[in-house]
Amino acid sequence: MRFLKILVTTLTATTIIGLIVLITVIVMRFQQESTLPLPQNITLPEGVTATAITRGAGWLAIVTNDDRILIMGLDGETVHQEITITATN
């Protein structure tokens, strides 16, 4: 019975220490600065509103309210490609 008590106490201590380490790692990870910053300004065509944005390595993809995806440079001004979204049934 004494051996079982020692095992339960050890398991409890290990679980508590593991939880503290896990919480510490998560907090440290969320405090890190983003490695992929967005440009300060993004210039869109007249009358267009952005509904979503995604950043890749060297490009931005902006979904607009008129069913287009604009692939832009990281400067936020140069449009490299324009993709029209069509609904399929």
Side-chain angles (χ1 to χ4, degrees):
M1 196 67 169
R2 184 175 169 175
F3 179 69
L4 185 60
K5 185 177 179 181
I6 292 171
L7 282 177
V8 169
T9 304
T10 305
L11 179 61
T12 302
T14 304
T15 302
I16 291 171
I17 292 170
L19 189 60
I20 290 171
V21 169
L22 184 64
I23 291 171
T24 303
V25 168
I26 291 172
V27 168
M28 289 173 55
R29 178 73 174 151
F30 279 115
Q31 287 181 348
Q32 289 180 352
E33 204 173 299
S34 174
T35 57
L36 300 173
L38 293 173
Q40 290 287 16
N41 296 313
I42 298 174
T43 305
L44 296 174
E46 189 70 33
V48 173
T49 305
T51 58
I53 184 168
T54 299
R55 186 189 189 288
W59 54 269
L60 297 170
I62 301 171
V63 180
T64 63
N65 60 338
D66 59 355
D67 294 331
R68 290 186 293 166
I69 300 173
L70 303 175
I71 307 298
M72 302 181 77
L74 291 180
D75 60 359
E77 296 180 9
T78 309
V79 178
H80 295 293
Q81 186 176 359
E82 182 177 318
I83 303 165
T84 303
I85 302 169
T86 55
T88 58
N89 293 349

